[in-house]
Amino acid sequence: MDDISVMLRDSAADFLAGRHDRSRLKGSIGKPQLVDRALWREMGELGWLGLELPESLGGTGMGLRESTVLAEQFGRSAFAAPYVASSVMPASLLSFAGHASAAAELSVALQDGGKVLTLAWQEAVGELGFDAPRTRLQDGRISGLKRFVPAVECDGLLLVSVRDAAGTAVVVVAADAKGLTIEHQAAGLGSIATLRFDSTPILFDAPLLVGDIVSAALQRALDAGRIALSAQLEGLASGMLDRTVEYVKGRVQFGRPIGSFQVIQHRCVDLYIAAQLAGASWRNALRAYERGGDAAAAISAAKARCADTAQRVGREAIQMHGAMGFTEEADIGLYVRSGLQAYAWLGTPLQHRRHFMARAPGAAATHV
Amino acid sequence: MSAAFHYPPFEIPPELDGLRREVRAFLSEASQQWSGWDIGHSWMGFDRAFSRAVGQRGWIGMTWPRAYGGHGRSALERYVVVEEMLAAGAPVGAHWVGDRQSGPLLLRIGSESQKQRFLPKIAAGEAAFCIGLSEPGSGSDLASLRSRATRVDGGWKLNGRKIWTTYAEHCDFMIGLFRSQGTAEVERHKGLSQFLIDLRSSGLEIRPIVDLTGEAHFNEIVFDDVFVSDALLVGRENEGWAQANAELAFERSGPDRYMSSFPLLPLAIDAVCEAGTIDRLSARRIGEALADIVTLREMSLSILGQLAAGHTPAQEAALTKDLGTTFEQRLPELVREITDNAPVISAGDKLSEMQAYLMQSVPSYSLRGGTREIMRGIIARGLGLR
Amino acid sequence: MSETESVDLDRLSDEEFRQGFRSWLAANYPRELRQDSHRPFRRLRGDAAVNWLKRVHEAGWRAPAWPREYGGMGLSFRKQLIYHDELEHAGVARIIDLGETQLGPTLILCGSEAQKAHYLPRILACDDVWCQGYSEPNAGSDLASLRTSAVREGDEFIVNGQKIWTTHATDSTHIFALVRTGKFAKKQQGISFLLIDLQAPGISVRPIVNLAGEDEFCEVFFDNVRVPVSQLVGELDQGWSVAKALLGYERIWIGSPALAGKALELANTLVRELALTADAGVMDRLAELTADLHDYRLLYTEICDVVADGDKPGPGVSMLKVYASELLHRLSEFNQEVAAEYGGIVGDARIGATLTDLHWQLMMARPVTIFAGANEIQRDILAKTVLGLPGEPAKA
Ligand SMILES: Cc1cc2nc3c(=O)[nH]c(=O)nc-3n(C[C@H](O)[C@H](O)[C@H](O)COP(=O)(O)OP(=O)(O)OC[C@H]3O[C@@H](n4cnc5c(N)ncnc54)[C@H](O)[C@@H]3O)c2cc1C
Ligand SMILES: Cc1cc2nc3c(=O)[nH]c(=O)nc-3n(C[C@H](O)[C@H](O)[C@H](O)COP(=O)(O)OP(=O)(O)OC[C@H]3O[C@@H](n4cnc5c(N)ncnc54)[C@H](O)[C@@H]3O)c2cc1C
């Protein structure tokens, strides 16, 4: 890890220790949670939002590498902020924007945490790509359906993939615009929404992105999102494992810590190895992304691995906590719920492994 | 080694099909109102009105003598009823513990007055029971429990804490295990006694605990000088450990240890057929699940047969529980993979509602009623390894 | 003058080194001895092994890890990784050359000048072939309970007892053994590390046939065998630390993904030959295994990089052995299961254009979870050292 990353990691750990009160997340199972805006603004003040923005849009020269450091830390402490959905992915997309004044305005709103941006690209369950949006743009208004959109705030800004006569484009819509109905559902520690657009007006008079660049820009944003989400999932897994190891060291049954039973020990070891593999896998995806070539196989491998790992560690962590693990009061549940949403969002392990196989014939192994 | 595990076949005769049809008819009527979320609760669904209706039909305490409100029917007939209830995901929670555990315990070792007072009420679906075993410091290692029963004039004073008590808040009575002699360090299971406790007694405070599904189904109970009269000691003083353990083979091998998430399966099959998305792989996996459940049912029935013949197949029961709970736990995962169901609730869609509840609740299956690791310890003992 | 002596290996870039070794292997390694679908984990032993190693030695590619002053290549750890990677890449059969991989480095660390001067060149030239005598019938995982004794008599030790599972003892000229020389409260003390000539009177070797039908390992019996005290490595009674000195590195090499890579190649061949690529169930399992190996290689590389950057291997390297060996299990099982009836054949089967021996690959994959510290033992180590979990309390 380079110095900047170490610094970021440590300041994130400090911030989370001081400002992230997990008990505030309790009592809300099944109820959609909105974004904690005060915390979001603080993250803006700390300079953590929009790291992927180019310097021309006020970026600081940091990028996805630094975002993954934060995302992993956020995972480790089950932090609820929609960092991947509302910082990594919008920033990545904005860096391609053709509409300069719109991009500048959105970048400011993103960086200072004043607004919560989110991408609305998915239209059906199980979609991995965005190839042909059915949502239509006509005369400055859009109509159609977007699903599984995280972090939709009532004053939020939506970056929506659409189709018009010329091809695909990305437009910006205010979440409180006329002709938009939003249905929130609880998911993970936040919410996801179904958005129905019915002649909803777009902002800035013109699309944010048009032409050939759209598909590359969206792909890049999804790639960045998947990598950061993988880091967060690995963070969740590692965080759960840390907690579980602490718990089994302290919990005494039959006159000894349950962590001294070999069954428990070996299981913790297997989970530890799984978490190590997950880390290696997303770091590889990050390097592939930074090299700029075809990173599809590496990214799919990482998303599949990290999601499966978080799920598996979660299951075993509950088991090793006994009935305590099944309570809302124990933090494990927060991790598990957070992992459940991240597991499926941006593609399930099964989908990604199939994608990986299709891209990596004979598993073209990255030799040392 | 193989001599340790026996599963002689035990079959449900076709004559019981009539009873099965009767139960199904009743359930198809009653289930109209149930959401997928409700059904997902299976035997953790608590509905007193439903339990009373079941009681009226004579389906609680079925095997008990008529003198105590029972119906003198066979264990197999009870099995048919239980199996149908679980298959439908009926909210049997208000009579479950009484029917499965507390009633049979009282019948076996309760005093005559206890039997007369409690059994008819259980059988009518009027009295809901809970189980007071676990404590904050005593889970898997139950014999280390510390809650204390101290002799006083005319009875006992109870002090201490019980935890994870399912539905204590909604129940009427608890059968609780307390230390009546010696200390947790020395006597362990030698000095424990069972008591029938009225949950409305003074000095008793019940605090709900919210679980991973967001519901407060289990509770912590604080006993502060709670008085129970001598008449409410169950069985013999200081014999509570053996008495409580004798029930475990019943508790661990019933259909409730492999059918808790069963209602998902038919719904999922319907969903994939309807969507026309059934590929060979999914078909194969559904077939596998079916093979599992049929095998589990054979094992469970076999244990029932052995119990009916007066044996205590403790190891077979532990094995069945381990396999069964693993199966119940896997089912939502399987269904998620073969249907395109996102783990969010779409109101009105039974499958997704049930799925959403079960994804959160299945982790508890391998904890409640003795954890997976403890079951495997018992199985290992059966293999002569411990 | 060997080929590599003429160039300064340190001056070569990693890539130049890789290319150099790759082309040498391509030109020199016999095609028919490559690992292939028939023998994915092919090993060389006896004359075949010695002949090849001599050729390697003459060309200056022998003993990549040994310092140059002892006749090795003195490669940096990173170049050693490349070296092994290229062996895998070229399908070079494995050789259990314990003289090079274990005894040599041990002598370099702990041996006397005389021992180094005498034995090291002979190892490189394959004049001596070594086997490892640690395990005994009642000392496997619990190696420290070993009982083969060495009692000093003048300038000699008199050795009595039995070793077992000694790999390729029948091919070897010498054995390095752990023997008990003293009794202490702690059983790890009082063990010594001895170099023994297998020709010495009183030694008898009996081969044991393994699950794949090969006489891979042996029992070695010692009946009043006289060993000069000059053959003691390190201090008397300190053999345990001598044997442990190399442990970390050994666990890195044993965690190599190479064998799993070969098994996965076979898996892909089988799926193709059996026309199973349209079977989603099979392909999902293959995808999982492929992803497992893919990600494992990444982890392996990361950990090797840390060592290449100069850190000593920590206790965490135990996880490499655990994961790699169990992945090999899963892959070899997949191969056997997916081949349906072919998987039941004991011996060669022709599947389409491929000649393979599924029984052999399944059975040869079994012992990897047992030797070099069984996986259960590795997990115990990881639990205690890496996770800090408590030991079993002493019985009251
Ligand atoms: C949904 C639910 C409902 C429940 N309802 C009731 C109820 O109504 N009444 C009641 O009395 N109790 C109830 N319980 C409690 C249940 O019986 C206990 O959870 C169970 O006995 C385990 O105890 P524990 O939770 O303290 O876990 P612990 O005993 O602390 O165990 C924690 C972990 O350590 C493992 N472990 C413990 N000992 C060993 C060992 N020797 N070797 C290897 N691993 C070991 C366990 O398997 C578990 O994975 C309920 C629990 C749940 C989850
Ligand atoms: C192919 C092969 C080649 C070998 N070559 C050599 C050689 O050249 N020289 C040599 O000296 N030795 C050699 N060995 C021996 C090897 O080192 C031993 O097999 C190994 O140390 C295990 O010992 P064991 O076979 O006696 O098994 P045991 O120690 O008896 O173990 C049996 C099983 O019990 C498990 N077990 C043991 N202790 C524990 C514990 N505390 N907790 C949980 N599980 C436990 C083990 O993991 C294993 O699964 C070889 C072995 C094999 C298979």
Side-chain angles (χ1 to χ4, degrees):
Chain A
M1 234 192 227
D2 55 47
D3 293 348
I4 295 187
S5 296
V6 171
M7 230 172 59
L8 262 180
R9 186 195 60 195
D10 294 347
S11 63
D14 282 351
F15 170 79
L16 292 164
R19 298 289 291 116
H20 173 38
D21 176 7
R22 269 181 293 268
S23 65
R24 275 204 304 220
L25 299 172
K26 307 281 165 73
S28 61
I29 295 178
K31 300 176 199 114
Q33 293 303 299
L34 295 179
V35 179
D36 183 329
R37 299 293 286 274
L39 275 182
W40 191 252
R41 267 189 298 276
E42 279 180 51
M43 290 167 67
E45 282 158 24
L46 285 162
W48 292 349
L49 300 180
L51 295 185
E52 289 74 13
L53 290 171
E55 287 177 17
S56 60
L57 288 174
T60 53
M62 289 196 253
L64 186 61
R65 176 163 293 264
E66 288 75 20
S67 289
T68 53
V69 172
L70 291 175
E72 195 202 8
Q73 288 303 311
F74 295 158
R76 273 183 180 270
S77 53
F79 186 45
Y83 183 68
V84 175
S86 299
S87 177
V88 175
M89 292 172 71
S92 171
L93 193 69
L94 284 174
S95 63
F96 291 88
H99 190 313
S101 62
E105 195 180 324
L106 291 168
S107 298
V108 171
L110 167 57
Q111 278 181 311
D112 70 14
K115 291 278 185 189
V116 178
L117 281 64
T118 186
L119 240 69
W121 62 275
Q122 192 173 357
E123 300 190 344
V125 77
E127 274 181 342
L128 281 188
F130 44 79
D131 286 339
R134 285 176 298 272
T135 302
R136 296 211 51 119
L137 166 67
Q138 214 163 13
D139 306 328
R141 292 175 177 274
I142 66 169
S143 297
L145 176 77
K146 295 285 176 183
R147 300 188 63 192
F148 309 112
V149 187
V152 177
E153 293 286 288
C154 31
D155 66 340
L157 295 170
L158 311 168
L159 310 180
V160 190
S161 62
V162 295
R163 188 153 56 96
D164 68 2
T168 47
V170 175
V171 299
V172 187
V173 173
D176 54 8
K178 268 218 166 74
L180 167 59
T181 42
I182 303 173
E183 188 192 326
H184 278 110
Q185 289 178 306
L189 302 178
S191 71
I192 53 173
T194 303
L195 307 177
R196 280 171 233 278
F197 300 97
D198 184 6
S199 278
T200 314
I202 66 170
L203 295 176
F204 305 114
D205 298 327
L208 183 67
L209 278 149
V210 285
D212 294 343
I213 192 74
V214 172
S215 110
L218 278 168
Q219 185 59 54
R220 201 73 179 151
L222 286 180
D223 284 352
R226 287 183 175 126
I227 294 167
L229 191 61
S230 300
Q232 189 181 330
L233 279 159
E234 179 265 313
L236 283 168
S238 299
M240 284 190 279
L241 182 60
D242 286 351
R243 262 152 219 288
T244 303
V245 167
E246 278 316 303
Y247 186 79
V248 300
K249 282 181 193 169
R251 170 75 173 168
V252 173
Q253 289 289 276
F254 304 101
R256 53 195 268 199
I258 55 174
S260 69
F261 291 111
Q262 200 178 44
V263 201
I264 300 284
Q265 295 192 339
H266 287 196
R267 195 170 312 163
C268 288
V269 165
D270 287 339
L271 298 180
Y272 171 77
I273 297 176
Q276 298 302 305
L277 280 172
S281 157
W282 72 253
R283 286 188 289 271
N284 174 64
L286 174 64
R287 287 191 299 271
Y289 170 94
E290 287 176 339
R291 280 196 298 271
D294 182 9
I299 292 172
S300 278
K303 177 69 185 15
R305 165 82 39 200
C306 294
D308 269 341
T309 303
Q311 180 104 333
R312 172 173 167 208
V313 176
R315 225 169 6 226
E316 299 290 2
I318 293 176
Q319 180 71 16
M320 287 189 274
H321 274 75
M324 185 54 91
F326 192 56
T327 61
E328 197 207 15
E329 185 190 335
D331 287 339
I332 285 302
L334 291 176
Y335 285 87
V336 169
R337 249 191 321 286
S338 177
L340 271 179
Q341 194 254 345
Y343 177 91
W345 184 47
L346 303 180
T348 63
L350 186 65
Q351 288 175 302
H352 276 295
R353 255 196 315 274
R354 288 177 176 175
H355 194 242
F356 161 79
M357 257 315 247
R359 297 300 177 105
T366 16
H367 280 265
V368 213
Chain B
M1 176 208 100
S2 56
F5 295 84
H6 294 285
Y7 289 97
F10 193 61
E11 274 169 32
I12 299 185
E15 296 88 87
L16 298 191
D17 284 355
L19 172 61
R20 191 181 293 285
R21 275 194 300 274
E22 219 182 301
V23 182
R24 280 194 189 171
F26 165 75
L27 286 170
S28 83
E29 172 95 21
S31 62
Q32 301 297 326
Q33 311 305 319
W34 304 338
S35 70
W37 181 270
D38 295 335
I39 295 173
H41 281 65
S42 182
W43 48 282
M44 296 288 262
F46 195 98
D47 179 345
R48 283 199 181 252
F50 179 78
S51 290
R52 271 194 297 271
V54 176
Q56 271 159 20
R57 282 181 175 63
W59 293 334
I60 306 177
M62 285 174 79
T63 61
W64 310 346
R66 288 178 198 280
Y68 303 123
H71 305 278
R73 303 180 78 162
S74 73
L76 275 173
E77 288 176 291
R78 176 176 180 271
Y79 198 92
V80 166
V81 171
V82 164
E83 173 168 77
E84 289 302 322
M85 293 280 171
L86 291 166
V92 293
H95 65 267
W96 197 251
V97 169
D99 182 56
R100 179 187 72 184
Q101 218 160 332
S102 313
L105 175 77
L106 292 178
L107 197 60
R108 214 162 37 87
I109 55 164
S111 67
E112 189 53 36
S113 76
Q114 287 169 351
K115 290 185 209 178
Q116 291 193 2
R117 180 175 161 201
F118 293 104
L119 293 179
K121 276 196 189 152
I122 296 176
E126 304 279 354
F129 273 68
C130 64
I131 306 164
L133 296 173
S134 307
E135 298 181 6
S138 307
S140 299
D141 182 15
L142 189 58
S144 67
L145 64 83
R146 288 167 192 279
S147 292
R148 194 160 263 295
T150 321
R151 261 206 175 288
V152 291
D153 212 20
W156 303 78
K157 279 258 157 84
L158 306 179
N159 281 289
R161 290 202 291 173
K162 291 290 172 186
I163 197 167
W164 318 127
T165 325
T166 300
Y167 288 128
E169 207 189 11
H170 304 299
C171 286
D172 308 295
F173 302 99
M174 163 192 279
I175 294 186
L177 189 61
F178 287 77
R179 184 161 299 286
S180 47
Q181 178 190 299
T183 64
E185 286 72 27
V186 183
E187 274 75 10
R188 290 185 56 84
H189 43 258
K190 290 205 196 85
L192 303 174
S193 301
Q194 283 179 300
F195 296 94
L196 259 161
I197 302 153
D198 185 331
L199 290 166
R200 269 158 281 284
S201 307
S202 65
L204 188 151
E205 191 196 339
I206 301 179
R207 300 181 191 143
I209 302 172
V210 179
D211 71 20
L212 274 189
T213 68
E215 295 174 351
H217 99 273
F218 47 33
N219 301 270
E220 177 166 15
I221 307 180
V222 181
F223 293 81
D224 181 12
D225 275 344
V226 175
F227 176 78
V228 286
S229 72
D230 276 328
L232 294 175
L233 172 73
V234 181
R236 305 198 3 213
E237 188 178 333
N238 298 332
E239 297 288 327
W241 181 259
Q243 291 170 192
N245 269 293
E247 305 307 313
L248 292 178
F250 288 93
E251 205 213 314
R252 286 179 179 157
S253 62
D256 43 333
R257 298 305 181 189
Y258 63 91
M259 286 183 73
S260 308
S261 57
F262 173 82
L264 264 184
L265 195 56
L267 276 186
I269 295 175
D270 288 350
V272 286
C273 288
E274 210 174 287
T277 50
I278 188 81
D279 54 87
R280 276 199 331 164
L281 177 59
S282 305
R284 200 184 310 170
R285 300 192 56 193
I286 292 175
E288 251 165 34
L290 218 61
D292 283 351
I293 202 162
V294 168
T295 310
L296 284 163
R297 181 168 186 258
E298 294 288 307
M299 295 172 83
S300 166
L301 274 169
S302 167
I303 292 170
L304 180 72
Q306 295 179 59
L307 288 167
H311 304 295
T312 26
Q315 279 130 18
E316 286 83 350
L319 184 69
T320 309
K321 179 177 188 280
D322 185 30
L323 288 172
T325 51
T326 302
F327 171 80
E328 310 179 305
Q329 269 178 344
R330 242 192 12 234
L331 208 48
E333 197 65 41
L334 169 73
V335 168
R336 177 163 80 179
E337 283 175 23
I338 60 173
T339 66
D340 270 337
N341 243 295
V344 291
I345 313 174
S346 335
D349 172 22
K350 271 197 181 164
L351 181 58
S352 84
E353 287 171 347
M354 204 183 301
Q355 184 77 338
Y357 177 80
L358 286 168
M359 286 302 282
Q360 314 263 11
S361 71
V362 291
S364 68
Y365 296 174
S366 52
L367 294 170
R368 63 187 187 190
T371 68
R372 164 171 299 140
E373 290 70 24
I374 297 302
M375 291 309 111
R376 291 186 180 172
I378 296 171
I379 297 165
R381 190 169 295 131
L383 293 169
L385 289 169
R386 302 171 61 207
Chain C
M1 175 110 172
S2 75
E3 292 174 31
T4 58
E5 268 171 48
S6 52
V7 287
D8 183 354
L9 291 170
D10 288 338
R11 308 266 298 269
L12 291 183
S13 74
D14 289 350
E15 201 43 42
E16 285 162 345
F17 173 77
R18 182 189 292 279
Q19 290 308 330
F21 192 41
R22 181 176 292 188
S23 44
W24 185 81
L25 285 173
N28 289 279
Y29 188 69
R31 237 195 132 66
E32 67 281 7
L33 295 184
R34 277 206 208 151
Q35 296 180 328
D36 54 17
S37 307
H38 184 227
R39 287 279 184 265
F41 323 133
R42 187 190 298 280
R43 287 205 302 225
L44 298 185
R45 59 185 287 191
D47 289 346
V50 167
N51 290 340
W52 166 243
L53 289 179
K54 284 188 164 154
R55 207 148 139 194
V56 172
H57 184 42
E58 279 154 21
W61 295 105
R62 185 132 165 80
W66 293 19
R68 251 168 268 173
E69 52 176 311
Y70 297 113
M73 296 174 75
L75 294 185
S76 68
F77 187 75
R78 193 171 304 283
K79 285 203 174 76
Q80 291 177 45
L81 288 170
I82 295 173
Y83 182 98
H84 287 281
D85 201 34
E86 287 306 314
L87 289 178
E88 176 190 354
H89 193 78
V92 174
R94 284 186 304 147
I95 296 174
I96 300 180
D97 182 11
L98 292 169
E100 187 230 306
T101 56
Q102 286 201 348
L103 181 62
T106 305
L107 288 180
I108 290 169
L109 273 177
C110 315
S112 68
E113 288 311 317
Q115 288 166 344
K116 289 192 265 192
H118 178 73
Y119 286 118
L120 295 179
R122 297 180 58 82
I123 290 174
L124 293 174
C126 298
D127 294 337
D128 297 338
V129 176
W130 288 87
C131 59
Q132 180 198 57
Y134 290 179
S135 307
E136 298 182 6
N138 289 313
S141 299
D142 183 15
L143 184 58
S145 63
L146 62 86
R147 284 201 294 240
T148 296
S149 68
V151 178
R152 180 146 182 180
E153 224 182 82
D155 284 346
E156 288 174 330
F157 289 107
I158 316 293
V159 179
N160 277 292
Q162 181 195 347
K163 295 291 173 184
I164 196 169
W165 317 127
T166 320
T167 298
H168 295 173
T170 44
D171 298 344
S172 304
T173 58
H174 290 71
I175 184 168
F176 54 95
L178 290 177
V179 292
R180 184 150 300 283
T181 43
K183 282 215 161 58
F184 296 84
K186 207 170 167 236
K187 60 187 178 183
Q188 281 80 2
Q189 289 173 304
I191 291 174
S192 297
F193 192 107
L194 276 189
L195 307 174
I196 305 173
D197 186 339
L198 282 170
Q199 299 306 314
I203 294 186
S204 48
V205 177
R206 189 183 74 85
I208 303 172
V209 177
N210 73 13
L211 268 184
E214 298 180 354
D215 57 342
E216 174 177 5
F217 37 33
C218 304
E219 284 178 292
V220 181
F221 299 91
F222 299 86
D223 181 12
N224 286 315
V225 176
R226 297 185 164 267
V227 181
V229 287
S230 62
Q231 303 305 301
L232 173 71
V233 179
E235 310 257 311
L236 188 70
D237 295 332
Q238 299 300 314
W240 190 257
S241 354
V242 175
K244 295 265 147 166
L246 293 170
L247 222 52
Y249 291 96
E250 186 194 337
R251 286 193 185 132
I252 289 189
W253 300 124
I254 212 121
S256 157
L259 291 182
K262 297 298 168 194
L264 183 63
E265 281 173 23
L266 177 58
N268 279 297
T269 304
L270 289 172
V271 165
R272 210 176 40 244
E273 293 285 13
L274 293 161
L276 291 167
T277 46
D279 185 319
V282 168
M283 292 312 281
D284 280 346
R285 277 184 69 193
L286 183 60
E288 207 166 310
L289 292 164
T290 307
D292 284 349
L293 180 60
H294 173 268
D295 294 349
Y296 177 67
R297 281 189 190 279
L298 298 169
L299 180 63
Y300 186 73
T301 308
E302 275 192 2
I303 289 181
C304 288
D305 279 347
V306 171
V307 177
D309 290 344
D311 280 8
K312 262 199 151 3
V317 295
S318 281
M319 79 176 148
L320 298 177
K321 195 256 172 180
V322 170
Y323 194 84
S325 58
E326 288 171 15
L327 178 57
L328 182 63
H329 269 195
R330 287 188 284 129
L331 278 159
S332 62
E333 286 150 18
F334 174 84
N335 290 341
Q336 194 253 342
E337 286 168 31
V338 91
E341 284 88 341
Y342 293 113
I345 294 174
V346 179
D348 290 351
R350 186 163 289 286
I351 306 178
T354 301
L355 180 72
T356 182
D357 181 344
L358 294 163
H359 176 260
W360 186 87
Q361 62 94 39
L362 182 74
M363 292 311 182
M364 289 308 278
R366 292 309 97 188
V368 291
T369 52
I370 302 171
F371 58 53
N375 286 17
E376 289 74 14
I377 305 301
Q378 306 290 1
R379 285 188 167 88
D380 276 359
I381 296 172
L382 286 162
K384 269 138 213 151
T385 55
V386 178
L387 299 179
L389 289 168
E392 194 172 334
K395 292 251 155 41

